[in-house]
Amino acid sequence: MMLIPAHHFRDIERKPEYLQPEKCVPPPHPSPVGTMWFIRDGCGIACAIVTWFLVLYAEFVVLFVMLIPSRDYVYSVINGIVFNLLAFLALASHCRAMLTDPGAVPKGNATKEFIESLQLKPGQVVYKCPKCCSIKPDRAHHCSVCKRCIRKMDHHCPWVNNCVGENNQKYFVLFTMYIALISLHALIMVGFHFLHCFEEDWTKCSSFSPPTTVILLILLCFEGLLFLIFTSVMFGTQVHSICTDETGIERLKRKNQPREHTGSWKTVKEAFGGDFSLNWFNPFSRPRHPKPLSDRDWVRQVASLSDLENTETTEEQTEERKDTDSAEVTDE
């Protein structure tokens, strides 16, 4: 069985009439350095608000139902510090994942002037996204929610209202990890609190009435269990994608075909920002400084003339493949 490359060629458009550069307007001026990235999507914004609400609800129950009323001062202080630290890191990671450019390709650069400036040679091809009128580098995919092509796009996550891509995958991994940790921590504290209240008088277990206390704890238990399972699975899939250097979209397109394993410790260090250190767990440290794309990043070399002939597509095939070219995965 023949192995396929880790990042095989997508639909290749090499004929000028397929690229249609005359339909592309010149790209806008680049945004100033430090401009905040934010996706104006109603569903994503609602999911992000719900995420913050659920974390703050857990914070409320942990502090005002379990820890502050407790007569064990040391227990309350230690667990309060640990839980609040993890919650802060989770929300900080969420903000960084949501407000960081995931690796958007410059929009509208598939102009006639830009294509001519690449000076394509025989055997060289370029990819063009018909939806955002951009020439795509390798491993870039179009997101219909962000309306941009994203480099190394893994999926679009409504919970962070952003794509998970080359520049913000670290923050998404940290977000899922810290949410899983605070969920586990909350479940453990709920278990101990129930045991303590069964042994003592329920009226002394909380500043709220016993029925209210039970309802709040049960809701927190369901929330913690649900998000522990969900974020643990997401954390595992993201770590696997980084270690194997294969995004979720690439894995879906490959389906059941075997692939060459190209992942290495180097890809892990690139994703988390250098050699192993505490900065790996710091949502305020950058994963790496993205390098600006050069002309050679837009061009792909076909191995042989026979390969070049095999990559010719008809106009009808190009239209059929537009949906595949804009493939998108969500973690809903």
Side-chain angles (χ1 to χ4, degrees):
M1 187 178 294
M2 182 178 66
L3 293 175
I4 63 172
H7 319 301
H8 53 283
F9 288 135
R10 301 178 299 280
D11 301 335
I12 298 178
E13 301 170 340
R14 69 184 185 89
K15 292 188 176 181
E17 57 266 29
Y18 294 159
L19 289 174
Q20 298 178 329
E22 65 279 357
K23 294 186 178 181
C24 294
V25 297
H29 295 290
S31 302
V33 177
T35 301
M36 184 178 69
W37 171 276
F38 183 75
I39 301 301
R40 294 174 177 84
D41 174 58
C43 177
I45 294 173
C47 288
I49 293 174
V50 169
T51 301
W52 275 68
F53 171 79
L54 292 174
V55 174
L56 294 178
Y57 170 78
E59 184 83 18
F60 170 79
V61 175
V62 168
L63 289 180
F64 295 99
V65 177
M66 292 189 287
L67 296 183
I68 292 179
S70 176
R71 287 175 288 182
D72 190 338
Y73 181 76
V74 176
Y75 172 85
S76 297
V77 170
I78 293 177
N79 283 280
I81 292 175
V82 172
F83 187 86
N84 279 278
L85 177 62
L86 293 176
F88 170 76
L89 291 172
L91 294 178
S93 300
H94 182 270
C95 285
R96 293 303 301 271
M98 180 171 60
L99 303 177
T100 299
D101 181 349
V105 176
K107 193 174 183 178
N109 65 350
T111 61
K112 182 178 180 180
E113 293 76 13
F114 183 75
I115 295 174
E116 290 177 349
S117 70
L118 296 177
Q119 298 180 346
L120 298 179
K121 300 176 181 179
Q124 290 183 333
V125 294
V126 292
Y127 303 128
K128 180 248 184 179
C129 176
K131 297 189 175 182
C132 61
C133 213
S134 300
I135 294 180
K136 299 191 297 185
D138 194 24
R139 306 186 71 185
H141 301 274
H142 185 86
C143 174
S144 59
V145 179
C146 298
K147 296 180 175 59
R148 297 288 293 274
C149 287
I150 307 297
R151 297 174 66 183
K152 290 185 68 174
M153 175 182 169
D154 187 86
H155 67 287
H156 183 91
C157 178
W159 297 104
V160 298
N161 188 34
N162 202 0
C163 278
V164 178
E166 184 177 62
N167 296 339
N168 69 341
Q169 189 171 29
K170 170 190 174 178
Y171 306 132
F172 183 75
V173 171
L174 293 181
F175 168 67
T176 57
M177 182 184 74
Y178 288 128
I179 289 293
L181 289 176
I182 64 173
S183 299
L184 178 62
H185 190 197
L187 288 172
I188 293 173
M189 285 191 290
V190 168
F192 278 115
H193 198 74
F194 268 121
L195 292 176
H196 174 69
C197 291
F198 282 135
E199 295 175 355
E200 301 289 338
D201 187 358
W202 272 91
T203 58
K204 298 179 181 179
C205 284
S206 172
S207 55
F208 297 92
S209 64
T212 303
T213 300
V214 172
I215 292 174
L216 291 174
L217 291 177
I218 289 177
L219 289 177
L220 178 61
C221 198
F222 275 114
E223 177 192 339
L225 185 61
L226 176 65
F227 278 93
L228 174 62
I229 296 173
F230 176 72
T231 55
S232 296
V233 171
M234 288 304 302
F235 175 77
T237 57
Q238 288 299 300
V239 171
H240 179 266
S241 294
I242 293 173
C243 292
T244 58
D245 194 26
E246 183 180 39
T247 67
I249 290 180
E250 291 166 349
R251 188 163 55 250
L252 286 177
K253 287 188 173 184
R254 178 173 57 85
K255 296 181 179 179
N256 296 324
Q257 294 175 306
R259 67 181 289 271
E260 297 174 353
H261 294 281
T262 59
S264 65
W265 183 244
K266 180 182 178 181
T267 61
V268 178
K269 291 194 295 183
E270 287 179 352
F272 286 94
D275 295 328
F276 179 78
S277 68
L278 289 178
N279 277 332
W280 279 27
F281 308 98
N282 179 11
F284 299 101
S285 68
R286 295 177 62 90
R288 60 181 173 182
H289 295 285
K291 298 178 180 178
L293 292 170
S294 61
D295 287 351
R296 65 180 181 180
D297 291 319
W298 305 107
V299 179
R300 297 287 166 260
Q301 182 71 40
V302 178
S304 64
L305 291 177
S306 60
D307 291 337
L308 185 60
E309 294 299 324
N310 292 332
T311 59
E312 291 191 29
T313 59
T314 65
E315 191 169 0
E316 292 78 10
Q317 288 173 326
T318 302
E319 290 296 325
E320 291 176 357
R321 291 175 181 175
K322 283 182 180 179
D323 292 335
T324 303
D325 209 25
S326 60
E328 167 189 338
V329 186
T330 64
D331 54 6
E332 294 178 285

